[in-house]
Amino acid sequence: MPAVLATLTACNDDPGNDPFETSPVPGSTSTGTVSASETTAGTEVADSTASGTTADTTGTIFDLEAPPDIDPTGIQPSCEVVDDLDGVGDCRQSAPAESFNPQVQWTWQGGESAVTPLVANLTDDDGNGTIDLCDTPDVVVVTGGLVGQIHVLDGATGSEHFAIPGAVHSFVTPAIGDIDGDGLPEIVSASPVGFFTLAFTAFEHDGTPIWTSETVWPHDQGGAVGIADFDNDGSPEIYGDGAILDANGNTRFVAPAQTGWFIGQRNTATTAADLDGDGDLELVLGQSAYHHDGTVIWNDPNILPGYPQIADLDDDDDPEIIVNNSGGITILEHDGTIKFQDMRPTGDPAGLGNWFRPSTVHDFDDDGLSEFAVSSASHYSVFFRNLTVMWSTNVADGSGWAAGTAFDFLGDGGAEAMYADEENLFVFDDMGIPVLTVPRSSKTLIEYPVVADVDNDGSAEIVVVSASNWDDVQTSPTVQVIRDAEDRWIQARRIWNQHTYHVTNVREDATIPAVEPPSWRELNTFRTNAQIEGGTVCLPPPAG
């Protein structure tokens, strides 16, 4: 990607200043500033309101009324999933050179949000009586203090379709997926039933309550819900913390509380993976892992509790588990054998808030091998598989458990890393230099930015949320959606359904695979979205 620096900041009061005026900076070809409250090049991006404020969306490259047949395979675009994971849409192999020209597409102001925004099709936007991939995706956000509310926003404009009545825990990221087999997605969140206890709660796609589980979640400091079909029976399970529930909210299994720096602490974003190659899924907590019937695979008290991520880091086709905990980075084999434990670079000490953060797995340097990125309070770093540092850059995030993501916006093979700290959203080039800085505010908790085609125009967008800072001031809109000014970024999937998203865990229509393809053998990514190419998910080039 060309080294182009773009900063979304407040507009200069001088009316003679063109915010798109460029001037050279060291190591880059141009700079630019774009405001969330200015008119430029015929496109207005105004301050947000609760109903959403949008930019002009003319000139998009995907016309749903008459999708062009430019796919060299001859496959026509489809409103339904036509392969294992995705529908067919108009997409391009690469973006034009110098096309990293970000712009705020829309903003929405509705309070504080400190959990990851989600993307899925929940509304019948074209009025044909069905909800499918030809409808505009929706952005799902949770707002509020300790007790919050779910909002469903139109992905193209930011206008609010509806808010779900009833309280949910505003520190828990929900999950979206079809849990009852009706072909429509449901939203599963957590509701507070006591200061230290939570219950799972499920809603229909339109916000209608379905069920609330018994109390199974002894945690009040944030968390994330996941959906997966653990036993391959076609009826997905819901999981979070150490619990697995069936699609009706009945408890299947609750893992014993882990030992660690927080009494009763398990993990805040557990995940599901087929660790032993038997075809079904296991619940992975990091310090421990369990078969879905509760049988223990390992439970090692010498490993501090932390966030687990799944990736193949030694090309043996078996997954490794990256566990980020208060001691640093621990990497386990698929059977729990420790490869590295509590590793961290010189100058980044251990500490409760320093390393207890989720990782992102992606091929950051276009060498055909996946690396991983994680924050350590004052730095955001990308690590090679042997835990040497590819690059590290300064961030300001000493308070929370924020994660990052990555996406190859230009389709040139090199993914751009993204991280949102307490003050800004950053997009980094392959050397860790920011190519985009978007002001936002947060004390940071469980949130991170996501990338998806939120308006179904064939081009990726970035979604980032904001909350109040440590001065109890919220300096940015609740939701900001950023696009390329000419919609030239390559197409991403139109879904991001949960905190532990890894592409193969959900089809693009939010249905859950009965047998989940191993992500470490397909894309070998975690918390990143996939480029769509030729009507399906692009696979990375072979190593070497």
Side-chain angles (χ1 to χ4, degrees):
M1 163 180 177
V4 178
L5 174 66
T7 308
L8 277 70
T9 59
C11 180
N12 190 303
D13 290 333
D14 181 359
N17 265 3
D18 179 358
F20 276 116
E21 184 178 0
T22 60
S23 58
V25 296
S28 69
T29 56
S30 67
T31 79
T33 60
V34 183
S35 168
S37 57
E38 64 190 18
T39 302
T40 55
T43 300
E44 182 174 351
V45 185
D47 288 336
S48 66
T49 66
S51 61
T53 301
T54 72
D56 178 7
T57 56
T58 59
T60 56
I61 64 171
F62 186 40
D63 180 0
L64 292 175
E65 297 299 324
D69 182 11
I70 65 169
D71 186 351
T73 68
I75 301 174
Q76 293 294 322
S78 171
C79 294
E80 299 178 352
V81 167
V82 294
D83 66 357
D84 287 340
L85 294 169
D86 297 286
V88 178
D90 170 20
C91 57
R92 300 178 176 185
Q93 292 188 356
S94 61
E98 309 259 342
S99 62
F100 200 83
N101 186 12
Q103 175 190 70
V104 175
Q105 179 168 340
W106 59 259
T107 64
W108 178 82
Q109 183 61 59
E112 299 185 58
S113 184
V115 300
T116 302
L118 304 177
V119 180
N121 286 97
L122 299 171
T123 54
D124 178 18
D125 301 293
D126 57 15
N128 67 352
T130 61
I131 297 175
D132 55 32
L133 297 179
C134 284
D135 292 306
T136 303
D138 302 296
V139 177
V140 176
V141 294
V142 179
T143 63
L146 182 63
V147 177
Q149 189 174 42
I150 296 173
H151 302 264
V152 176
L153 313 177
D154 182 274
T157 67
S159 60
E160 182 169 323
H161 285 298
F162 58 89
I164 297 178
V168 297
H169 200 296
S170 62
F171 298 163
V172 173
T173 300
I176 301 173
D178 179 10
I179 63 174
D180 58 9
D182 64 354
L184 297 171
E186 283 76 43
I187 303 172
V188 186
S189 188
S191 58
V193 292
F195 190 74
F196 286 106
T197 54
L198 300 174
F200 291 86
T201 184
F203 304 93
E204 297 283 5
H205 68 280
D206 60 1
T208 303
I210 306 174
W211 50 255
T212 297
S213 74
E214 63 183 356
T215 301
V216 293
W217 198 333
H219 199 320
D220 73 325
Q221 291 295 314
V225 180
I227 302 174
D229 193 341
F230 280 86
D231 54 8
N232 309 143
D233 66 351
S235 178
E237 283 75 40
I238 295 96
Y239 66 95
D241 199 58
I244 299 177
L245 282 65
D246 67 19
N248 297 313
N250 302 307
T251 303
R252 296 272 298 270
F253 166 66
V254 180
Q258 298 188 182
T259 59
W261 59 268
F262 185 87
I263 297 174
Q265 171 73 30
R266 294 187 179 95
N267 299 88
T268 58
T270 50
T271 192
D274 180 10
L275 298 177
D276 56 8
D278 64 354
D280 60 16
L281 301 177
E282 287 77 50
L283 180 66
V284 186
L285 285 79
Q287 186 189 49
S288 57
Y290 297 86
H291 293 287
H292 57 78
D293 63 0
T295 306
V296 65
I297 302 174
W298 77 80
N299 188 0
D300 189 343
N302 295 312
I303 302 171
L304 292 172
Y307 284 89
Q309 291 74 213
I310 309 297
D312 182 4
L313 299 179
D314 55 15
D315 299 322
D316 63 356
D317 282 340
D318 290 321
E320 279 74 51
I321 301 95
I322 306 166
V323 183
N324 303 116
N325 55 39
S326 56
I329 301 167
T330 293
I331 297 180
L332 310 176
E333 295 281 10
H334 67 283
D335 60 1
T337 303
I338 297 173
K339 294 184 66 172
F340 300 96
Q341 186 169 18
D342 297 341
M343 303 293 290
R344 52 193 181 271
T346 301
D348 279 310
L352 298 187
N354 278 14
W355 292 95
F356 190 74
R357 298 149 185 268
S359 286
T360 296
V361 178
H362 204 90
D363 179 3
F364 289 95
D365 57 359
D366 193 26
D367 66 351
L369 301 174
S370 290
E371 298 83 27
F372 67 94
V374 65
S375 123
S376 54
S378 59
H379 298 95
Y380 191 66
S381 307
V382 175
F383 292 87
F384 290 110
R385 297 174 169 201
N386 62 1
L387 297 186
T388 58
V389 176
M390 178 186 297
W391 56 257
S392 185
T393 189
N394 293 336
V395 295
D397 191 14
S399 64
W401 306 332
T405 188
F407 191 72
D408 182 4
F409 288 99
L410 304 187
D412 58 4
E416 287 72 53
M418 280 161 275
Y419 189 74
D421 68 7
E422 296 172 7
E423 300 171 354
N424 294 289
L425 160 71
F426 296 104
V427 179
F428 303 106
D429 68 10
D430 58 1
M431 300 297 291
I433 299 171
V435 293
L436 173 62
T437 300
V438 181
R440 54 94 63 165
S441 62
S442 180
K443 296 182 180 71
T444 66
L445 190 64
I446 192 81
E447 79 270 27
Y448 63 93
V450 303
V451 174
D453 184 359
V454 302
D455 55 5
N456 213 359
D457 67 351
S459 179
E461 287 85 30
I462 305 169
V463 187
V464 64
V465 298
S466 286
S468 62
N469 58 26
W470 285 102
D471 294 324
D472 289 326
V473 176
Q474 184 170 331
T475 62
S476 298
T478 311
V479 182
Q480 298 179 80
V481 169
I482 298 116
R483 65 173 182 178
D484 176 69
E486 299 179 41
D487 285 316
R488 296 167 298 180
W489 293 342
I490 61 170
Q491 185 176 16
R493 299 180 87 208
R494 291 159 280 191
I495 192 165
W496 195 295
N497 79 313
Q498 62 189 39
H499 194 281
T500 54
Y501 175 80
H502 46 276
V503 179
T504 63
N505 66 287
V506 64
R507 298 185 183 92
E508 208 177 3
D509 62 0
T511 56
I512 306 299
V515 179
E516 181 179 311
S519 61
W520 57 93
R521 294 178 185 167
E522 302 287 332
L523 294 149
N524 207 15
T525 62
F526 205 90
R527 291 193 179 91
T528 74
N529 218 339
Q531 176 184 353
I532 296 175
E533 202 67 74
T536 188
V537 167
C538 295
L539 296 179

